[in-house]
PDB file of all heavy atoms in Angstrom:
ATOM      1  N   SER J   1       0.846  -1.246   0.009  1.00  0.00           N
ATOM      2  CA  SER J   1      -0.022   0.014  -0.006  1.00  0.00           C
ATOM      3  C   SER J   1       0.852   1.280  -0.027  1.00  0.00           C
ATOM      4  O   SER J   1       2.058   1.220   0.257  1.00  0.00           O
ATOM      5  CB  SER J   1      -0.868   0.022   1.240  1.00  0.00           C
ATOM      6  OG  SER J   1      -0.102   0.376   2.336  1.00  0.00           O
ATOM      7  N   SER J   2       0.205   2.402  -0.219  1.00  0.00           N
ATOM      8  CA  SER J   2       1.010   3.664  -0.264  1.00  0.00           C
ATOM      9  C   SER J   2       1.650   3.981   1.083  1.00  0.00           C
ATOM     10  O   SER J   2       2.718   4.397   1.179  1.00  0.00           O
ATOM     11  CB  SER J   2       0.107   4.850  -0.711  1.00  0.00           C
ATOM     12  OG  SER J   2      -1.062   4.898   0.081  1.00  0.00           O
ATOM     13  N   LEU J   3       0.846   3.739   2.187  1.00  0.00           N
ATOM     14  CA  LEU J   3       1.434   4.001   3.501  1.00  0.00           C
ATOM     15  C   LEU J   3       2.690   3.112   3.762  1.00  0.00           C
ATOM     16  O   LEU J   3       3.699   3.522   4.264  1.00  0.00           O
ATOM     17  CB  LEU J   3       0.429   3.792   4.554  1.00  0.00           C
ATOM     18  CG  LEU J   3       0.872   3.974   6.048  1.00  0.00           C
ATOM     19  CD1 LEU J   3      -0.195   4.609   6.884  1.00  0.00           C
ATOM     20  CD2 LEU J   3       1.375   2.726   6.695  1.00  0.00           C
ATOM     21  N   THR J   4       2.495   1.799   3.454  1.00  0.00           N
ATOM     22  CA  THR J   4       3.612   0.908   3.600  1.00  0.00           C
ATOM     23  C   THR J   4       4.820   1.420   2.853  1.00  0.00           C
ATOM     24  O   THR J   4       5.982   1.389   3.528  1.00  0.00           O
ATOM     25  CB  THR J   4       3.190  -0.533   3.111  1.00  0.00           C
ATOM     26  OG1 THR J   4       2.000  -0.921   3.671  1.00  0.00           O
ATOM     27  CG2 THR J   4       4.309  -1.463   3.349  1.00  0.00           C
ATOM     28  N   ARG J   5       4.711   1.760   1.642  1.00  0.00           N
ATOM     29  CA  ARG J   5       5.816   2.215   0.853  1.00  0.00           C
ATOM     30  C   ARG J   5       6.424   3.477   1.418  1.00  0.00           C
ATOM     31  O   ARG J   5       7.703   3.756   1.407  1.00  0.00           O
ATOM     32  CB  ARG J   5       5.478   2.357  -0.580  1.00  0.00           C
ATOM     33  CG  ARG J   5       5.107   1.052  -1.327  1.00  0.00           C
ATOM     34  CD  ARG J   5       4.871   1.205  -2.812  1.00  0.00           C
ATOM     35  NE  ARG J   5       3.822   2.045  -3.131  1.00  0.00           N
ATOM     36  CZ  ARG J   5       2.502   1.667  -3.250  1.00  0.00           C
ATOM     37  NH1 ARG J   5       2.186   0.411  -3.097  1.00  0.00           N
ATOM     38  NH2 ARG J   5       1.584   2.506  -3.684  1.00  0.00           N
ATOM     39  N   ASP J   6       5.555   4.380   1.898  1.00  0.00           N
ATOM     40  CA  ASP J   6       6.108   5.660   2.437  1.00  0.00           C
ATOM     41  C   ASP J   6       6.942   5.385   3.650  1.00  0.00           C
ATOM     42  O   ASP J   6       7.942   5.947   3.856  1.00  0.00           O
ATOM     43  CB  ASP J   6       4.863   6.584   2.819  1.00  0.00           C
ATOM     44  CG  ASP J   6       4.197   7.217   1.626  1.00  0.00           C
ATOM     45  OD1 ASP J   6       4.845   7.261   0.581  1.00  0.00           O
ATOM     46  OD2 ASP J   6       3.084   7.655   1.720  1.00  0.00           O
ATOM     47  N   VAL J   7       6.475   4.540   4.560  1.00  0.00           N
ATOM     48  CA  VAL J   7       7.206   4.194   5.775  1.00  0.00           C
ATOM     49  C   VAL J   7       8.587   3.542   5.428  1.00  0.00           C
ATOM     50  O   VAL J   7       9.573   3.913   5.842  1.00  0.00           O
ATOM     51  CB  VAL J   7       6.408   3.272   6.711  1.00  0.00           C
ATOM     52  CG1 VAL J   7       7.301   2.789   7.864  1.00  0.00           C
ATOM     53  CG2 VAL J   7       5.210   3.987   7.189  1.00  0.00           C
ATOM     54  N   TRP J   8       8.520   2.566   4.456  1.00  0.00           N
ATOM     55  CA  TRP J   8       9.734   1.901   4.087  1.00  0.00           C
ATOM     56  C   TRP J   8      10.800   2.858   3.453  1.00  0.00           C
ATOM     57  O   TRP J   8      11.958   2.762   3.616  1.00  0.00           O
ATOM     58  CB  TRP J   8       9.454   0.856   3.064  1.00  0.00           C
ATOM     59  CG  TRP J   8       8.768  -0.399   3.659  1.00  0.00           C
ATOM     60  CD1 TRP J   8       8.605  -0.648   5.000  1.00  0.00           C
ATOM     61  CD2 TRP J   8       8.191  -1.455   2.919  1.00  0.00           C
ATOM     62  NE1 TRP J   8       7.906  -1.895   5.073  1.00  0.00           N
ATOM     63  CE2 TRP J   8       7.666  -2.391   3.859  1.00  0.00           C
ATOM     64  CE3 TRP J   8       8.083  -1.657   1.525  1.00  0.00           C
ATOM     65  CZ2 TRP J   8       6.999  -3.542   3.454  1.00  0.00           C
ATOM     66  CZ3 TRP J   8       7.400  -2.878   1.145  1.00  0.00           C
ATOM     67  CH2 TRP J   8       6.934  -3.811   2.069  1.00  0.00           C
ATOM     68  N   GLN J   9      10.293   3.945   2.741  1.00  0.00           N
ATOM     69  CA  GLN J   9      11.192   4.832   2.082  1.00  0.00           C
ATOM     70  C   GLN J   9      11.469   6.084   2.897  1.00  0.00           C
ATOM     71  O   GLN J   9      12.102   7.029   2.391  1.00  0.00           O
ATOM     72  CB  GLN J   9      10.592   5.169   0.692  1.00  0.00           C
ATOM     73  CG  GLN J   9      10.545   3.969  -0.202  1.00  0.00           C
ATOM     74  CD  GLN J   9       9.648   4.164  -1.456  1.00  0.00           C
ATOM     75  OE1 GLN J   9       9.394   5.377  -1.874  1.00  0.00           O
ATOM     76  NE2 GLN J   9       9.141   3.104  -2.088  1.00  0.00           N
ATOM     77  N   GLY J  10      11.059   6.155   4.090  1.00  0.00           N
ATOM     78  CA  GLY J  10      11.363   7.263   4.944  1.00  0.00           C
ATOM     79  C   GLY J  10      10.604   8.494   4.677  1.00  0.00           C
ATOM     80  O   GLY J  10      11.106   9.581   5.041  1.00  0.00           O
ATOM     81  N   ARG J  11       9.453   8.402   4.069  1.00  0.00           N
ATOM     82  CA  ARG J  11       8.659   9.555   3.819  1.00  0.00           C
ATOM     83  C   ARG J  11       7.561   9.733   4.740  1.00  0.00           C
ATOM     84  O   ARG J  11       7.196   8.782   5.480  1.00  0.00           O
ATOM     85  CB  ARG J  11       8.029   9.501   2.397  1.00  0.00           C
ATOM     86  CG  ARG J  11       9.044   9.359   1.188  1.00  0.00           C
ATOM     87  CD  ARG J  11       8.294   9.523  -0.083  1.00  0.00           C
ATOM     88  NE  ARG J  11       7.344   8.445  -0.297  1.00  0.00           N
ATOM     89  CZ  ARG J  11       7.439   7.475  -1.179  1.00  0.00           C
ATOM     90  NH1 ARG J  11       8.606   7.399  -1.951  1.00  0.00           N
ATOM     91  NH2 ARG J  11       6.547   6.671  -1.370  1.00  0.00           N
ATOM     92  N   PRO J  12       7.003  10.960   4.979  1.00  0.00           N
ATOM     93  CA  PRO J  12       5.802  11.113   5.754  1.00  0.00           C
ATOM     94  C   PRO J  12       4.672  10.267   5.325  1.00  0.00           C
ATOM     95  O   PRO J  12       4.490  10.085   4.102  1.00  0.00           O
ATOM     96  CB  PRO J  12       5.487  12.642   5.625  1.00  0.00           C
ATOM     97  CG  PRO J  12       6.813  13.286   5.203  1.00  0.00           C
ATOM     98  CD  PRO J  12       7.495  12.233   4.395  1.00  0.00           C
ATOM     99  N   SER J  13       3.985   9.709   6.265  1.00  0.00           N
ATOM    100  CA  SER J  13       2.940   8.768   5.917  1.00  0.00           C
ATOM    101  C   SER J  13       1.536   9.199   6.543  1.00  0.00           C
ATOM    102  O   SER J  13       1.459  10.226   7.238  1.00  0.00           O
ATOM    103  CB  SER J  13       3.261   7.392   6.418  1.00  0.00           C
ATOM    104  OG  SER J  13       3.030   7.307   7.812  1.00  0.00           O
ATOM    105  N   GLU J  14       0.569   8.411   6.175  1.00  0.00           N
ATOM    106  CA  GLU J  14      -0.826   8.612   6.804  1.00  0.00           C
ATOM    107  C   GLU J  14      -1.005   7.890   8.057  1.00  0.00           C
ATOM    108  O   GLU J  14      -2.163   7.699   8.403  1.00  0.00           O
ATOM    109  CB  GLU J  14      -1.856   8.232   5.751  1.00  0.00           C
ATOM    110  CG  GLU J  14      -1.792   9.139   4.555  1.00  0.00           C
ATOM    111  CD  GLU J  14      -2.909   8.775   3.465  1.00  0.00           C
ATOM    112  OE1 GLU J  14      -3.262   7.585   3.465  1.00  0.00           O
ATOM    113  OE2 GLU J  14      -3.421   9.728   2.758  1.00  0.00           O
ATOM    114  N   ILE J  15      -0.033   7.541   8.795  1.00  0.00           N
ATOM    115  CA  ILE J  15      -0.177   6.697   9.999  1.00  0.00           C
ATOM    116  C   ILE J  15      -1.123   7.350  11.057  1.00  0.00           C
ATOM    117  O   ILE J  15      -1.931   6.652  11.729  1.00  0.00           O
ATOM    118  CB  ILE J  15       1.187   6.362  10.658  1.00  0.00           C
ATOM    119  CG1 ILE J  15       1.008   5.368  11.663  1.00  0.00           C
ATOM    120  CG2 ILE J  15       1.873   7.574  11.208  1.00  0.00           C
ATOM    121  CD1 ILE J  15       0.527   3.975  11.190  1.00  0.00           C
ATOM    122  N   GLU J  16      -1.134   8.655  11.182  1.00  0.00           N
ATOM    123  CA  GLU J  16      -2.003   9.347  12.128  1.00  0.00           C
ATOM    124  C   GLU J  16      -3.449   9.120  11.686  1.00  0.00           C
ATOM    125  O   GLU J  16      -4.404   9.193  12.579  1.00  0.00           O
ATOM    126  CB  GLU J  16      -1.670  10.846  12.234  1.00  0.00           C
ATOM    127  CG  GLU J  16      -0.298  11.121  12.901  1.00  0.00           C
ATOM    128  CD  GLU J  16      -0.280  10.691  14.374  1.00  0.00           C
ATOM    129  OE1 GLU J  16      -1.300  10.538  14.996  1.00  0.00           O
ATOM    130  OE2 GLU J  16       0.892  10.659  14.897  1.00  0.00           O
ATOM    131  N   TYR J  17      -3.686   9.017  10.399  1.00  0.00           N
ATOM    132  CA  TYR J  17      -5.036   8.907   9.916  1.00  0.00           C
ATOM    133  C   TYR J  17      -5.542   7.481   9.722  1.00  0.00           C
ATOM    134  O   TYR J  17      -6.618   7.216   9.314  1.00  0.00           O
ATOM    135  CB  TYR J  17      -5.100   9.684   8.517  1.00  0.00           C
ATOM    136  CG  TYR J  17      -5.123  11.197   8.717  1.00  0.00           C
ATOM    137  CD1 TYR J  17      -3.933  11.820   8.828  1.00  0.00           C
ATOM    138  CD2 TYR J  17      -6.345  11.920   8.812  1.00  0.00           C
ATOM    139  CE1 TYR J  17      -3.936  13.220   9.003  1.00  0.00           C
ATOM    140  CE2 TYR J  17      -6.244  13.209   9.062  1.00  0.00           C
ATOM    141  CZ  TYR J  17      -5.093  13.905   9.144  1.00  0.00           C
ATOM    142  OH  TYR J  17      -5.042  15.274   9.281  1.00  0.00           O
ATOM    143  N   GLN J  18      -4.611   6.548  10.035  1.00  0.00           N
ATOM    144  CA  GLN J  18      -5.001   5.118   9.935  1.00  0.00           C
ATOM    145  C   GLN J  18      -4.905   4.545  11.402  1.00  0.00           C
ATOM    146  O   GLN J  18      -5.763   4.780  12.160  1.00  0.00           O
ATOM    147  CB  GLN J  18      -4.127   4.390   9.001  1.00  0.00           C
ATOM    148  CG  GLN J  18      -4.363   4.941   7.550  1.00  0.00           C
ATOM    149  CD  GLN J  18      -3.696   4.168   6.415  1.00  0.00           C
ATOM    150  OE1 GLN J  18      -3.435   3.055   6.544  1.00  0.00           O
ATOM    151  NE2 GLN J  18      -3.403   4.917   5.327  1.00  0.00           N
ATOM    152  N   ASN J  19      -3.891   3.826  11.698  1.00  0.00           N
ATOM    153  CA  ASN J  19      -3.836   3.172  13.068  1.00  0.00           C
ATOM    154  C   ASN J  19      -3.776   4.154  14.119  1.00  0.00           C
ATOM    155  O   ASN J  19      -4.320   3.931  15.254  1.00  0.00           O
ATOM    156  CB  ASN J  19      -2.560   2.328  13.090  1.00  0.00           C
ATOM    157  CG  ASN J  19      -2.470   1.264  12.000  1.00  0.00           C
ATOM    158  OD1 ASN J  19      -1.888   1.566  10.941  1.00  0.00           O
ATOM    159  ND2 ASN J  19      -3.081   0.158  12.181  1.00  0.00           N
ATOM    160  N   GLY J  20      -3.251   5.389  13.824  1.00  0.00           N
ATOM    161  CA  GLY J  20      -3.222   6.465  14.927  1.00  0.00           C
ATOM    162  C   GLY J  20      -4.655   6.861  15.264  1.00  0.00           C
ATOM    163  O   GLY J  20      -4.950   7.097  16.430  1.00  0.00           O
ATOM    164  N   THR J  21      -5.545   6.939  14.337  1.00  0.00           N
ATOM    165  CA  THR J  21      -6.970   7.310  14.516  1.00  0.00           C
ATOM    166  C   THR J  21      -7.618   6.270  15.337  1.00  0.00           C
ATOM    167  O   THR J  21      -8.423   6.491  16.211  1.00  0.00           O
ATOM    168  CB  THR J  21      -7.616   7.537  13.181  1.00  0.00           C
ATOM    169  OG1 THR J  21      -7.040   8.626  12.523  1.00  0.00           O
ATOM    170  CG2 THR J  21      -9.134   7.859  13.401  1.00  0.00           C
ATOM    171  N   VAL J  22      -7.274   4.934  15.021  1.00  0.00           N
ATOM    172  CA  VAL J  22      -7.876   3.845  15.810  1.00  0.00           C
ATOM    173  C   VAL J  22      -7.532   3.968  17.242  1.00  0.00           C
ATOM    174  O   VAL J  22      -8.296   3.851  18.184  1.00  0.00           O
ATOM    175  CB  VAL J  22      -7.385   2.494  15.228  1.00  0.00           C
ATOM    176  CG1 VAL J  22      -7.929   1.340  16.157  1.00  0.00           C
ATOM    177  CG2 VAL J  22      -7.818   2.198  13.780  1.00  0.00           C
ATOM    178  N   VAL J  23      -6.255   4.135  17.482  1.00  0.00           N
ATOM    179  CA  VAL J  23      -5.827   4.360  18.882  1.00  0.00           C
ATOM    180  C   VAL J  23      -6.514   5.532  19.598  1.00  0.00           C
ATOM    181  O   VAL J  23      -6.975   5.364  20.708  1.00  0.00           O
ATOM    182  CB  VAL J  23      -4.219   4.580  18.901  1.00  0.00           C
ATOM    183  CG1 VAL J  23      -3.737   4.922  20.339  1.00  0.00           C
ATOM    184  CG2 VAL J  23      -3.490   3.270  18.426  1.00  0.00           C
ATOM    185  N   LYS J  24      -6.552   6.631  18.942  1.00  0.00           N
ATOM    186  CA  LYS J  24      -7.094   7.856  19.652  1.00  0.00           C
ATOM    187  C   LYS J  24      -8.664   7.628  19.818  1.00  0.00           C
ATOM    188  O   LYS J  24      -9.177   7.977  20.873  1.00  0.00           O
ATOM    189  CB  LYS J  24      -6.950   9.078  18.722  1.00  0.00           C
ATOM    190  CG  LYS J  24      -5.428   9.497  18.790  1.00  0.00           C
ATOM    191  CD  LYS J  24      -5.184  10.644  17.789  1.00  0.00           C
ATOM    192  CE  LYS J  24      -3.740  11.086  17.823  1.00  0.00           C
ATOM    193  NZ  LYS J  24      -2.811  10.064  17.363  1.00  0.00           N
ATOM    194  N   PHE J  25      -9.378   7.071  18.895  1.00  0.00           N
ATOM    195  CA  PHE J  25     -10.816   6.718  18.965  1.00  0.00           C
ATOM    196  C   PHE J  25     -10.986   5.671  20.098  1.00  0.00           C
ATOM    197  O   PHE J  25     -11.983   5.718  20.836  1.00  0.00           O
ATOM    198  CB  PHE J  25     -11.434   6.269  17.644  1.00  0.00           C
ATOM    199  CG  PHE J  25     -11.956   7.388  16.824  1.00  0.00           C
ATOM    200  CD1 PHE J  25     -11.127   8.544  16.510  1.00  0.00           C
ATOM    201  CD2 PHE J  25     -13.182   7.404  16.304  1.00  0.00           C
ATOM    202  CE1 PHE J  25     -11.541   9.542  15.709  1.00  0.00           C
ATOM    203  CE2 PHE J  25     -13.701   8.420  15.506  1.00  0.00           C
ATOM    204  CZ  PHE J  25     -12.855   9.526  15.267  1.00  0.00           C
TER     205      PHE J  25
END
């Protein structure tokens, strides 16, 4: 996925809008 590739390549990702949102909710 795009998030996976972003993390692997050291780019800013959507983690706050995915698993991060799950944690906060």
Side-chain angles (χ1 to χ4, degrees):
S1 74
S2 59
L3 180 144
T4 306
R5 296 188 295 272
D6 284 341
V7 171
W8 287 350
Q9 295 167 20
R11 297 192 298 252
S13 76
E14 294 180 330
I15 191 63
E16 294 292 345
Y17 287 84
Q18 296 188 28
N19 306 91
T21 298
V22 176
V23 172
K24 292 175 178 63
F25 271 52

